[in-house]
Amino acid sequence: MSRLLLDRVLAGVPNGETPLRHVRELPERSAASADWPSWVPADLRTALARCGVERPWRHQVEAATHARDGRHVVVATGTASGKSLAYQLPVLSALSEDRRATALYLSPTKALGADQLRAVRALDVEDVRPASFDGDTPMPERDWVRAHARWVFTNPDMLHRGILPAHARWASFFRRLTHVVVDECHGYRGVFGSHVALLLRRLRRVAAKYGADPVFVLASATVSDPATSASRLSGVPCVAVTDDASPRGARTVALWEPPLLPELAGENGAPVRRSAGAETARIMTDLVVEGARTLAFVRSRRGAELTALSARHALSEVDPSLPARVAAYRAGFLPEERRALEQSLADGRLLGVASTNALELGVDIAGLDAVVVAGYPGTLASFWQQAGRAGRAGDSALVVFVAQDNPLDTYLVHNPSAMLDKPVEATVIDPANPYVLAPQLACAAMEMPLTEKCLATFGGQAARRVVEDLTADGILRRRPTGWFWTSRERPHASVDIRGSGGEQVAVVEADSGRMLGTVDPGAAFTTVHPGAVYLHQGTSYVVDDLDLETGLAMVHREDPEWSTSPREQIDISVLSVEERTEHDDGVTVSLGEVAVTSHVVAYLRKLPSGQVLDQIPLDLPEQTLNTRAVWYTLTDDLLAEAGLTKHEIPGALHAAEHAAIGLLPLFATCDRWDIGGVSTALHPDTGEPTVFVHDGHPGGAGFADRAHAALIPWLTATRDAIEACECPSGCPSCVQSPKCGNGNEPLHKEGAIRVLTTVLDAVAVSSPESKAS
């Protein structure tokens, strides 16, 4: 069926277009089942059989047995491999044997938590009393959950803000805590993952206060070295179960590159491809017409809205009943909107959904026929997780990867082995990041005084340095028994564990006072600045005012013919150099801390054709980010030897910077929006032409460090991607960037190849005795 669906989609491609770059048939896999462990209660086996689980798969029993025997375990297997049963067996068995025992479940998204809660309730095991405790739980129900629920389903945000600060009210629950389930743990990476790692240490500390030592059971998509990743996240040694014994239907994976649009030209006359969103809408339209239940993953909230809107418009010309069966799903929707969409997709009332990665993690939507992935989702683990949403019942499925017009996606569709044959990445977290440690230790001290033993749990010397700084600032007070929180106010509300920069900004319709959704504060200046066009459920709004103090963006309904894109000025200064390697040919590579100052100064209004109508100035404050970066410098003489004139150097460095940012997600578990860059022909701190690539989060998230460690393969892939692009002087597929604050000027494609070749040659020939400090 999957190949038939692909043929139907290709039948709708206009003559002369050849978007298909590669097709891979992935064979089906048969199941390897096992006997029920003797310790699983008979009533639980009966309940599972009633829900369709006759026998467990081998990896489920292996993981469950580890947890049963008191070992912390991570089960890292593919999508739809039944990881839920691997933790349901030990948890429900423990709750059945000890009617006072409790368990805690954590998921990165509310949608996943609600889905898993439904699954446990469907089993109807006597006296388990599973319940949700998250931001959507009504206040009157929260007291009941604290007093009576034995398996609490929540998320890191609520654990951080609502449970641990009030642990005395949860004393009975913590005293009997036997298991902690951390679902989809591969999603905890970067700054968010670092916060969650420390949050789990706070959780273990509170549990220990009440005499509990729970077993941790972690579930993950297939990742590299899951035991190490899970141990670093949880703070306890974990055993890994990785041999996937579940059945999997055959899948057809198609790599798809949208065609060039000869009638249009982009910035600086660059060739333009049809957008991945428009191409995805077209593919989803064809699939919905065929009756195929389709989920399209789109990179941005706005993109999800536009994709669904375009598909509905196209379907209205085919069958008036079909547009109502397509919708958008994204973060920022209100809880009731999310629940209604999830239910409509699960029961088949919706045939097509365009979603952000909000539906990537674990929501059990069985029976989907196709998944369309619009743009590389940042990691191979995420790609395979999204691809696994289809064919979950063991049926064949179609997966179409639609390349965005950027260097990484272009590289992948022309180098399919980099996507389809490469092992998935390890997650990157840095719990020792002082920007993460300081607020987490402040929260921990408010919950209970910190002791020397605690500091060892939270990172040893790194934690001690942070505590000493907090004490010097008067935030903590040292006493003989430890460090104490000094304020009456809890610090938790001001600690943003998702690294978005603080409280969410509410988008409110001025006329009605209706809240439409929320945006991260760090993205507010670029997405809801005055004059910005904001999309919600297919309806356009224009922003009238942005007030960060009150956290409000006021909008009015309007449907302009243009879209908006911000323009930024960015400066960078070196704060400290941690590693510096001088190569003999005049190239220096460094890693260290930097301060990045960004200033949104204007926005462009663009027509759908790409034509720029005008540029409108903005009066917004500067933002400064202290973070980590990797950078390299070249001497003027070396660039001259490479054939670059003084006039060409800025464009060559700028193009090399853009392409390097675009390719870094191949080597670090990041998204291109998690990182940034600056290039200059003469940087005041280095005194030479310099290219910086920096993390986009305070204190860094480990991405620059990973880039430094993988410098040669990273820059080699960057150069190869630029060389392989057929455009004459630079385009979005190679050196142009959608987030460039300078309007992609200046750029010198050939010069970027020369810069990267020069750097690679110098690094490759450098002897082991290269001067390093």
Side-chain angles (χ1 to χ4, degrees):
M1 178 181 175
S2 58
R3 191 62 198 233
L4 178 61
L5 287 176
L6 179 59
D7 291 341
R8 295 291 175 85
V9 171
L10 287 169
V13 173
N15 290 333
E17 292 186 10
T18 54
L20 199 59
R21 296 290 174 261
H22 184 78
V23 177
R24 176 77 60 87
E25 300 290 346
L26 302 181
E28 65 177 354
R29 180 182 62 214
S30 57
S33 59
D35 294 330
W36 290 108
S38 59
W39 46 264
V40 177
D43 59 342
L44 177 55
R45 292 200 300 268
T46 301
L48 289 166
R50 187 175 63 247
C51 293
V53 183
E54 297 294 338
R55 295 188 73 200
W57 295 318
R58 192 172 53 211
H59 67 275
Q60 295 171 324
V61 172
E62 182 183 354
T65 301
H66 280 304
R68 170 73 176 187
D69 293 341
R71 289 183 288 273
H72 308 290
V73 61
V74 55
V75 52
T77 52
T79 311
S81 60
K83 292 186 285 289
S84 299
L85 186 63
Y87 58 74
Q88 287 171 355
L89 286 179
V91 172
L92 291 173
S93 296
L95 297 183
S96 296
E97 292 167 3
D98 180 357
R99 296 305 170 118
R100 302 178 65 190
T102 61
L104 185 69
Y105 169 94
L106 295 171
S107 71
T109 66
K110 292 178 184 177
L112 174 57
D115 186 72
Q116 292 301 306
L117 176 59
R118 283 191 294 268
V120 170
R121 282 177 172 167
L123 292 172
D124 195 25
V125 178
E126 183 181 358
D127 203 32
V128 169
R129 301 191 296 275
S132 173
F133 193 86
D134 60 26
D136 295 342
T137 306
M139 294 302 294
E141 292 183 17
R142 297 189 182 189
D143 288 338
W144 184 93
V145 174
R146 271 190 295 265
H148 301 291
R150 297 181 58 218
W151 194 352
V152 174
F153 288 71
T154 187
N155 51 57
D157 311 81
M158 183 56 80
L159 178 65
H160 164 66
R161 293 191 178 202
I163 297 178
L164 293 182
H167 60 79
R169 301 182 68 188
W170 290 82
S172 178
F173 179 85
F174 280 119
R175 190 173 293 116
R176 304 160 183 164
L177 185 63
T178 62
H179 291 84
V180 175
V181 177
V182 184
D183 207 355
E184 302 291 3
C185 65
H186 67 281
Y188 299 119
R189 59 181 179 85
V191 169
F192 181 37
S194 302
H195 272 290
V196 172
L198 296 170
L199 180 61
L200 294 179
R201 286 154 176 78
R202 285 167 48 200
L203 168 62
R204 287 172 43 230
R205 181 170 171 258
V206 167
K209 171 183 171 62
Y210 296 99
D213 184 17
V215 173
F216 278 73
V217 185
L218 298 93
S220 171
T222 304
V223 294
S224 175
D225 197 5
T228 299
S229 297
S231 300
R232 188 168 176 80
L233 178 68
S234 63
V236 292
C238 294
V239 179
V241 174
T242 58
D243 187 12
D244 193 337
S246 64
R248 185 183 67 194
R251 282 185 286 181
T252 299
V253 180
L255 305 186
W256 189 287
E257 186 176 38
L260 289 169
L261 301 174
E263 68 276 12
L264 294 179
E267 288 184 319
N268 309 315
V272 175
R273 293 189 183 276
R274 183 181 290 119
S275 73
E279 196 77 345
T280 297
R282 189 171 77 175
I283 294 170
M284 187 162 69
T285 298
D286 291 340
L287 290 168
V288 168
V289 168
E290 293 297 324
R293 294 177 60 194
T294 304
L295 181 57
F297 286 102
V298 187
R299 302 305 313 284
S300 68
R301 297 181 179 188
R302 178 183 175 85
E305 296 275 10
L306 288 173
T307 298
L309 191 64
S310 298
R312 285 199 294 263
H313 177 73
L315 288 166
S316 67
E317 300 177 357
V318 178
D319 183 338
S321 68
L322 289 178
R325 304 189 70 182
V326 172
Y329 183 105
R330 59 172 174 80
F333 278 5
L334 301 180
E336 56 271 22
E337 292 177 308
R338 290 198 308 269
R339 300 290 180 265
L341 285 169
E342 290 162 18
Q343 185 59 43
S344 296
L345 182 58
D347 63 22
R349 281 177 290 167
L350 284 176
L351 273 179
V353 171
S355 173
T356 60
N357 63 357
L359 278 179
E360 174 185 325
L361 299 176
V363 178
D364 189 8
I365 304 166
L368 295 182
D369 302 301
V371 161
V372 185
V373 181
Y376 185 65
T379 66
L380 290 172
S382 288
F383 169 73
W384 289 115
Q385 189 76 2
Q386 292 179 3
R389 294 296 97 191
R392 290 175 63 86
D395 299 327
S396 63
L398 172 65
V399 178
V400 182
F401 170 68
V402 181
Q404 286 187 317
D405 205 1
N406 64 50
L408 177 57
D409 287 25
T410 302
Y411 179 84
L412 291 173
V413 293
H414 291 278
N415 296 270
S417 62
M419 189 173 205
L420 304 179
D421 300 322
K422 185 179 175 183
V424 295
E425 313 87 349
T427 54
V428 177
I429 62 172
D430 181 16
N433 180 341
Y435 288 85
V436 177
L437 257 178
Q440 286 290 332
L441 287 172
C443 293
M446 179 269 150
E447 292 155 8
M448 290 185 294
L450 293 169
T451 64
E452 291 286 352
K453 184 177 180 181
C454 294
L455 296 188
T457 301
F458 284 104
Q461 286 303 313
R464 170 172 280 281
R465 287 192 295 269
V466 169
V467 165
E468 290 172 352
D469 290 341
L470 292 173
T471 304
D473 293 339
I475 296 173
L476 301 183
R477 179 177 298 162
R478 178 71 189 268
R479 292 179 180 171
T481 54
W483 290 267
F484 288 73
W485 176 246
T486 59
S487 172
R488 293 184 178 181
E489 298 294 326
R490 293 175 176 174
H492 301 70
S494 62
V495 178
D496 172 30
I497 67 171
R498 292 187 181 263
S500 57
E503 292 291 334
Q504 296 284 298
V505 174
V507 182
V508 176
E509 187 175 24
D511 293 341
S512 65
R514 181 170 64 104
M515 189 174 86
L516 302 176
T518 59
V519 298
D520 293 340
F525 285 169
T526 55
T527 57
V528 288
H529 57 74
V533 177
Y534 177 82
L535 277 180
H536 179 75
Q537 288 282 49
T539 302
S540 295
Y541 298 84
V542 174
V543 180
D544 299 313
D545 182 60
L546 171 63
D547 187 339
L548 288 183
E549 288 189 6
T550 60
L552 290 175
M554 306 303 294
V555 303
H556 70 271
R557 187 166 178 172
E558 184 179 338
D559 191 17
E561 60 177 344
W562 62 80
S563 61
T564 55
S565 60
R567 284 292 172 260
E568 282 185 281
Q569 293 178 352
I570 301 178
D571 294 312
I572 193 166
S573 58
V574 176
L575 300 178
S576 65
V577 180
E578 186 174 300
E579 294 186 39
R580 183 170 184 265
T581 304
E582 296 179 4
H583 299 277
D584 294 338
D585 291 338
V587 171
T588 300
V589 178
S590 302
L591 175 71
E593 297 182 352
V594 297
V596 183
T597 302
S598 61
H599 188 196
V600 179
V601 296
Y603 66 94
L604 301 181
R605 296 194 303 171
K606 292 182 177 181
L607 294 176
S609 65
Q611 177 186 350
V612 176
L613 292 176
D614 53 17
Q615 179 170 300
I616 299 175
L618 289 170
D619 183 17
L620 296 172
E622 292 183 344
Q623 295 176 294
T624 299
L625 170 71
N626 289 350
T627 187
R628 292 177 65 79
V630 57
W631 64 94
Y632 60 82
T633 67
L634 307 91
T635 63
D636 289 323
D637 290 343
L638 198 57
L639 290 170
E641 291 176 13
L644 290 170
T645 66
K646 191 172 184 179
H647 176 73
E648 293 171 331
I649 289 174
L653 298 174
H654 194 198
E657 169 220 325
H658 279 184
I661 291 171
L663 268 294
L664 184 54
L666 271 183
F667 303 92
T669 50
C670 67
D671 182 275
R672 70 180 297 162
W673 301 94
D674 289 328
I675 50 180
V678 176
S679 58
T680 174
L682 178 61
H683 193 273
D685 294 332
T686 66
E688 292 181 322
T690 310
V691 173
F692 293 87
V693 173
H694 63 81
D695 286 7
H697 299 279
F703 306 137
D705 295 73
R706 184 62 64 90
H708 183 262
L711 184 76
I712 292 178
W714 168 41
L715 295 186
T716 300
T718 301
R719 181 186 60 187
D720 292 348
I722 301 174
E723 286 182 327
C725 186
E726 298 177 355
C727 75
S729 58
C731 70
S733 293
C734 58
V735 298
Q736 287 192 350
S737 170
K739 53 189 263 188
C740 180
N742 295 319
N744 284 299
E745 287 186 330
L747 290 175
H748 192 302
K749 176 183 176 180
E750 179 58 36
I753 297 172
R754 296 180 189 180
V755 166
L756 292 165
T757 299
T758 300
V759 172
L760 287 166
D761 287 347
V763 174
V765 302
S766 182
S767 65
E769 292 78 23
S770 290
K771 184 179 179 182
S773 62

